[in-house]
Amino acid sequence: MHTEATGSPLLAASSSRRRFVAGLTAFGMLAAFGVPDLALAQQNTIAQSIADHFASVKTMSGEFVQFGPRGEQTGGKFYISRPGKIRFNYEDPSPMRVIADGKAVVIGNRKLKTWDLYPLSKTPLNLLLGDKIDLSSKTVRQVKEDPDLITIVLGDRSIFGDSTITMMFDPKTYELRQWTITDAQKKDTSVMIFNVATGLKLDDRVFAIPYDEVRN
């Protein structure tokens, strides 16, 4: 069973699923940020430098831990291959899977045997998964530079509605450490990533969507 949406998943999904999709699509928005204490040109330079660095990484895998707004905790593994492919495998007992194959994104619940289907081009993941990430200043909210962390806040009503994303990067390597999604109800979902490896050879079957299951 599946549903298909032509608009933003943040608007098409249920409240709990909105938070779930938002947490995932944060990967797709390693772009678009700003800074309170820096000039606009400097803000855009920092943001674009981070985006360029991330876009230069063609394959990536690692582990993640997600903390929900009620304190619930889940974890698992993720895989990325440019252009257009991503997969999140949640550990048991979570039944969730998320797969993008370059054209579509599906969110599957193995327990309920349900799928939600979205065109990749209509989700923020599309920005993450391109070979290039071109930032738009309209998404810039804040960038804060500390000695051990760069914190970036972004928002775009046309993509996220009233939600925002706060991301934390290593100031020397520009590697992503953590992000927090704040939804329209001001509830936070945070994700930390670790044991990240890049430059891997990933089989395309990792990103294969089981369309027969999705359509049924």
Side-chain angles (χ1 to χ4, degrees):
M1 179 185 299
H2 82 273
T3 60
E4 182 167 355
T6 57
S8 167
L10 292 173
L11 302 179
S14 65
S15 177
S16 61
R17 187 160 290 159
R18 279 199 302 270
R19 292 194 293 271
F20 179 76
V21 175
L24 297 171
T25 57
F27 266 115
M29 293 300 295
L30 288 182
F33 325 114
V35 194
D37 299 324
L38 299 178
L40 181 60
Q42 292 175 300
Q43 296 175 11
N44 292 340
T45 297
I46 292 172
Q48 191 63 61
S49 295
I50 292 174
D52 290 345
H53 170 78
F54 188 74
S56 71
V57 179
K58 301 306 179 185
T59 59
M60 174 187 295
S61 70
E63 299 176 65
F64 68 90
V65 176
Q66 178 174 301
F67 301 92
R70 295 181 299 276
E72 64 273 26
Q73 178 177 331
T74 55
K77 296 182 178 180
F78 71 90
Y79 307 87
I80 292 175
S81 179
R82 299 181 190 279
K85 297 173 183 177
I86 196 166
R87 184 181 183 114
F88 292 86
N89 289 338
Y90 280 71
E91 294 176 345
D92 293 335
S94 173
M96 306 307 297
R97 287 180 292 174
V98 175
I99 310 169
D101 66 356
K103 296 180 179 180
V105 182
V106 293
I107 301 174
N109 186 313
R110 290 175 293 172
K111 182 177 181 180
L112 299 179
K113 297 182 179 180
T114 59
W115 295 88
D116 292 295
L117 175 69
Y118 308 97
L120 177 62
S121 62
K122 301 296 183 180
T123 73
L125 279 175
N126 194 46
L127 299 177
L128 160 74
L129 299 173
D131 283 322
K132 295 182 180 180
I133 300 175
D134 185 16
L135 301 189
S136 170
S137 61
K138 70 179 182 178
T139 59
V140 171
R141 294 290 181 87
Q142 185 183 43
V143 173
K144 182 180 179 182
E145 290 188 281
D146 293 314
D148 60 347
L149 209 62
I150 296 177
T151 302
I152 300 172
V153 182
L154 67 92
D156 187 339
R157 289 186 61 85
S158 67
I159 298 176
F160 299 109
D162 292 325
S163 299
T164 61
I165 299 174
T166 300
M167 297 185 182
M168 300 177 184
F169 296 87
D170 185 292
K172 295 181 180 179
T173 65
Y174 284 170
E175 292 178 355
L176 179 66
R177 292 181 178 175
Q178 177 179 331
W179 68 84
T180 297
I181 303 298
T182 303
D183 67 14
Q185 289 74 44
K186 305 303 180 184
K187 295 181 179 180
D188 293 339
T189 299
S190 296
V191 177
M192 296 190 305
I193 62 173
F194 55 98
N195 292 337
V196 175
T198 61
L200 306 172
K201 184 175 179 58
L202 298 175
D203 195 308
D204 282 345
R205 288 178 292 182
V206 172
F207 310 100
I209 293 175
Y211 282 105
D212 288 343
E213 292 182 31
V214 173
R215 295 188 179 102
N216 293 331

